[in-house]
Amino acid sequence: MGLAAEYFGCANWGEYVPRMLEHLARATHASRAYVFENHLGIDGILYTSQRHEFSAPGVASQISNSQLQSFPIETGFGRWCQTLRGGGVVQGCVESLPEGEREILQAQGISSLVVVPVFVAKHWWGFIGFDDCTRRRHWSEVEIQALRAAANVLGASVQSERLSRLEQRMFQMATHDELTGLPNRRALNGYLRLEQARSERSGSPYCLALFDIDRFKLINDIHGHSAGDHILKQVAIALRRSIRQGDWVGRWGGEEFLVVLPATRIEQAYQGIERMRQAVERARPEFAERRFEVTVSAGVAECTAGHDSVDDVLARADAGLYEAKLRGRNRTCVTNAEQAHNLSTAALVQRAIRDGQLHPAYQSIVDLASRTQVAEEALARIVAGTEQVLCAQEFVEIADRLNLLHRIDDILGRRAIARCAVEGGQRPAIKRFINLSGDLLRRPERVAALAQHAAALCPRLGPGRRTRALVLQITEREPLGQAHQLRSTLAPFLDQGFRLAIDDFGGGYSSLGYLAELPISFIKIDRELIAQVRTRPKSRALVASIQYTADSLGITTIAECVEDEPTAQVLGELGVHWAQGYLFAAPTLELEQAG
């Protein structure tokens, strides 16, 4: 029992086996004690090899005997295999053994022996035995039981080591990227939580950096995924070799790598990340006799203890990475909170357009006198996840800077037209307002394509069966050019019977020429005037003036952003026809296209 306890307590059982064999050999006065391990060859033959041995003084060791390594045990020793597989004991004087066995054993100077099997998880793993090279002897039952006990301990230890290796392998697979060997996203998230907690306790900052391989998709598309995998491995090696001691680098996902820099200010972090970026650039990995010029872009952000969460810092690092890509790649960029927000929103807008995350939300417009629904407006929403929905006000300005408003208008317009086509027979009296930005109106070819889509999707909107259910809403907050030019651009819609509305009237580049030259059917009064109509006499007078003009021209007025009943009462007294706002209904998101 003492031997077994010492044996199991040893960190590396393989190193302890010779000590165990020596202990057993001395206790039984054996000349040798040894362990053989079985292994199946690629030819399907069972081989055995001597792994450990103790030889008494004056007895020739056999551990270096090449004949005992990868020995085909079933050839000539089939009787042993049958006996040991069944849990039996092989023992006796060598001179009494069959001739084939006797010749091999006598060559080793053996007079008598005893061998018992070692099982691992009920599988015959090998055997452990004693040799006596000095005399013929009968091995006692006590000696055989000691050998069996050692075999059981050995089998249990091998099984324990296998389980330990399996657990280590499973842990490695769970926490490390199989391709690059770097910590994976799961492990990195654990490091981030630890670093965040340390930072909050100590009050010291830390930094994060996101790397992305430039034009990696082209490498995969042109040279194949094997080349792409090789590039990922080489970039991982370059980053790992150039990182400081105490920092962490791992594969964040795809072609992105994350670096965690504990107790580091942004200036120091920037220098370190630049060094890593340059290390990748110098690597120039080779694959299939071709050398690749590989570069990475990086974004770096600092966590201010007590102010930032991990998500905040990751978002800023991601925004810096996005900026590095925009500025030409192969560079490192640092962003502050405001820049990060704008860049993150810009990336979100582009991703929403690309991945179909842009959806309409419909808000009802009611008759102010009867409070019944008379129309609805399609409003833009970005749905980036189950808990992330962005209203238009949160991304329209950024989309405008990126010249992407025409794309948003086109997507929302097509969805609203399709909704009208499906529901037209059910609610023919409901007007459908569709926003057209100046970005779209300055692209006549885009306007014509949207009009063609409407004509093809909705036959009842085409010539011969005109409808006045769809309303194109243009904003008055930016100059759109001459009214006659605008009319020419909108002609493909006007010819189909679409009606026009001016949005934000009275709050921007007021042009009565639009009212004179264009067939305007609706005026949406500027929301700032509506918000002040109860408290500022001038605003009330302006709304009254707009209403008088609209009544004179036969135009329907609509008050936007009506949030309370007193405001609605004042607007009703001024004669405003329709209204929309949270007082009447909140926008309803449409995630699936009707029909």
Side-chain angles (χ1 to χ4, degrees):
M1 291 300 292
L3 175 65
E6 183 181 355
Y7 183 63
F8 277 121
C10 186
N12 187 334
W13 68 266
E15 295 179 358
Y16 184 67
V17 169
R19 292 171 56 193
M20 179 185 72
L21 294 177
E22 179 182 1
H23 184 96
L24 290 170
R26 293 187 182 281
T28 58
H29 304 288
S31 302
R32 295 192 195 99
Y34 43 80
V35 171
F36 279 74
E37 179 182 357
N38 300 334
H39 47 96
L40 194 65
I42 59 174
D43 52 7
I45 296 175
L46 182 67
Y47 294 88
T48 193
S49 296
Q50 186 170 349
R51 301 302 191 197
H52 304 280
E53 180 196 67
F54 169 76
S55 297
V59 178
S61 172
Q62 298 296 315
I63 194 68
S64 299
N65 186 345
S66 61
Q67 292 184 342
L68 300 184
Q69 303 303 316
S70 297
F71 176 76
I73 190 170
E74 290 180 312
T75 303
F77 282 77
R79 183 179 67 88
W80 285 38
C81 293
Q82 184 177 359
T83 301
L84 294 174
R85 276 199 181 101
V89 179
V90 176
Q91 67 165 318
C93 296
V94 170
E95 62 184 22
S96 66
L97 298 179
E99 183 178 354
E101 300 176 6
R102 185 171 63 248
E103 291 178 358
I104 295 175
L105 297 173
Q106 285 179 336
Q108 300 172 46
I110 303 172
S111 296
S112 60
L113 56 75
V114 60
V115 172
V116 301
V118 176
F119 290 95
V120 175
K122 299 183 179 180
H123 172 74
W124 181 38
W125 177 86
F127 54 89
I128 183 171
F130 294 147
D131 291 344
D132 195 315
C133 298
T134 60
R135 58 193 171 99
R136 290 185 251 169
R137 64 185 289 184
H138 175 76
W139 301 92
S140 70
E141 186 62 27
V142 172
E143 292 169 329
I144 293 174
Q145 290 303 320
L147 202 56
R148 283 193 180 277
N152 291 336
V153 171
L154 178 59
S157 297
V158 173
Q159 173 69 359
S160 176
E161 182 191 54
R162 285 184 177 179
L163 290 174
S164 177
R165 288 179 179 176
L166 179 61
E167 289 175 357
Q168 292 174 7
R169 175 62 178 158
M170 292 177 66
F171 179 78
Q172 178 78 9
M173 292 174 63
T175 59
H176 286 71
D177 174 56
E178 185 175 1
L179 180 66
T180 64
L182 294 177
N184 60 17
R185 189 170 189 140
R186 177 181 179 181
L188 288 169
N189 277 322
Y191 300 150
L192 287 173
R193 288 194 299 271
L194 290 174
E195 186 55 33
Q196 179 73 14
R198 186 206 61 79
S199 176
E200 291 175 355
R201 287 195 307 270
S202 65
S204 64
Y206 68 90
C207 290
L208 300 180
L210 273 172
F211 285 92
D212 185 90
I213 301 176
D214 296 328
R215 298 184 175 91
F216 182 73
K217 186 176 184 300
L218 284 177
I219 296 175
N220 271 334
D221 291 346
I222 296 174
H223 303 285
H225 288 283
S226 294
D229 288 349
H230 181 74
I231 297 301
L232 282 168
K233 291 178 184 178
Q234 297 306 307
V235 169
I237 290 171
L239 293 176
R240 186 166 49 209
R241 286 176 176 173
S242 58
I243 202 170
R244 302 178 311 176
Q245 186 176 3
D247 294 345
W248 294 95
V249 60
R251 188 176 179 189
W252 192 239
E255 63 269 27
E256 284 192 343
F257 298 85
L258 179 72
V259 177
V260 184
L261 302 102
T264 305
R265 300 306 300 256
I266 194 67
E267 298 81 8
Q268 185 182 6
Y270 178 83
Q271 294 175 2
I273 298 305
E274 268 292 279
R275 184 179 63 252
M276 296 175 72
R277 180 190 64 78
Q278 292 164 7
V280 173
E281 188 176 17
R282 290 192 301 268
R284 302 181 72 242
E286 185 176 350
F287 182 80
E289 299 183 355
R290 175 189 176 88
R291 194 163 291 281
F292 289 81
E293 303 287 342
V294 179
T295 62
V296 291
S297 299
V300 190
E302 178 182 321
C303 175
T304 303
H307 293 84
D308 295 323
S309 68
V310 170
D311 289 340
D312 294 333
V313 190
L314 281 170
R316 291 205 296 274
D318 189 54
L321 174 59
Y322 180 76
E323 183 182 13
K325 294 285 189 181
L326 285 180
R327 290 172 55 183
R329 303 180 179 87
N330 193 24
R331 67 191 66 234
T332 301
C333 288
V334 179
T335 57
N336 58 35
E338 182 179 358
Q339 290 171 322
H341 174 74
N342 290 341
L343 288 166
S344 178
T345 303
L348 189 63
V349 171
Q350 293 180 318
R351 189 161 55 245
I353 293 173
R354 183 191 67 214
D355 298 342
Q357 296 174 335
L358 193 67
H359 298 275
Y362 295 97
Q363 186 174 34
S364 296
I365 300 173
V366 303
D367 180 276
L368 200 48
S370 66
R371 304 296 174 93
T372 58
Q373 184 183 6
V374 290
E376 66 181 16
E377 179 182 356
L379 305 170
R381 296 289 185 269
I382 289 178
V383 182
T386 56
E387 298 181 357
Q388 187 176 18
V389 178
L390 272 69
C391 298
Q393 294 89 333
E394 298 178 74
F395 62 83
V396 162
E397 182 180 350
I398 299 297
D400 191 18
R401 293 183 197 173
L402 296 172
N403 294 319
L404 290 175
L405 283 182
H406 69 281
R407 297 280 303 280
I408 294 174
D409 290 346
D410 184 72
I411 294 170
L412 269 292
R414 290 171 186 264
R415 292 282 291 269
I417 291 168
R419 178 181 172 95
C420 183
V422 172
E423 297 183 352
Q426 304 169 17
R427 297 194 294 170
I430 297 295
K431 304 293 185 292
R432 321 294 177 119
F433 283 71
I434 302 171
N435 285 285
L436 301 185
S437 65
D439 189 33
L440 179 65
L441 293 173
R442 284 188 284 270
R443 305 168 192 263
E445 73 286 352
R446 289 274 189 171
V447 176
L450 185 59
Q452 289 173 5
H453 174 77
L457 186 63
C458 311
R460 66 190 302 272
L461 302 181
R465 296 193 66 184
R466 300 189 178 196
T467 180
R468 301 173 70 80
L470 285 162
V471 181
L472 302 179
Q473 184 169 290
I474 59 179
T475 183
E476 200 221 13
R477 286 190 174 271
E478 58 179 310
L480 299 174
Q482 298 296 321
H484 69 276
Q485 293 176 338
L486 187 56
R487 180 163 191 153
S488 175
T489 299
L490 293 171
F493 282 111
L494 299 177
D495 292 343
Q496 293 187 66
F498 281 65
R499 303 173 79 180
L500 294 181
I502 294 183
D503 193 16
D504 296 326
F505 191 82
Y509 297 87
S510 182
S511 175
L512 297 177
Y514 288 156
L515 299 183
E517 296 292 335
L518 296 174
I520 301 297
S521 299
F522 302 92
I523 288 176
K524 297 187 78 173
I525 304 172
D526 178 63
R527 63 192 64 194
E528 293 183 10
L529 291 177
I530 300 301
Q532 300 169 0
V533 72
R534 286 195 303 117
T535 58
R536 297 190 62 180
K538 286 186 178 180
S539 296
R540 183 182 179 115
L542 286 172
V543 172
S545 174
I546 292 171
Q547 185 63 42
Y548 176 80
T549 301
D551 287 337
S552 301
L553 298 174
I555 296 174
T556 301
T557 55
I558 305 171
E560 290 191 282
C561 300
V562 179
E563 307 295 333
D564 55 75
E565 187 59 39
T567 299
Q569 292 290 342
V570 172
L571 294 170
E573 293 169 3
L574 292 174
V576 175
H577 304 122
W578 296 354
Q580 74 180 105
Y582 279 84
L583 175 63
F584 311 109
T588 302
L589 189 65
E590 180 193 68
L591 292 178
E592 299 296 333
Q593 175 62 53

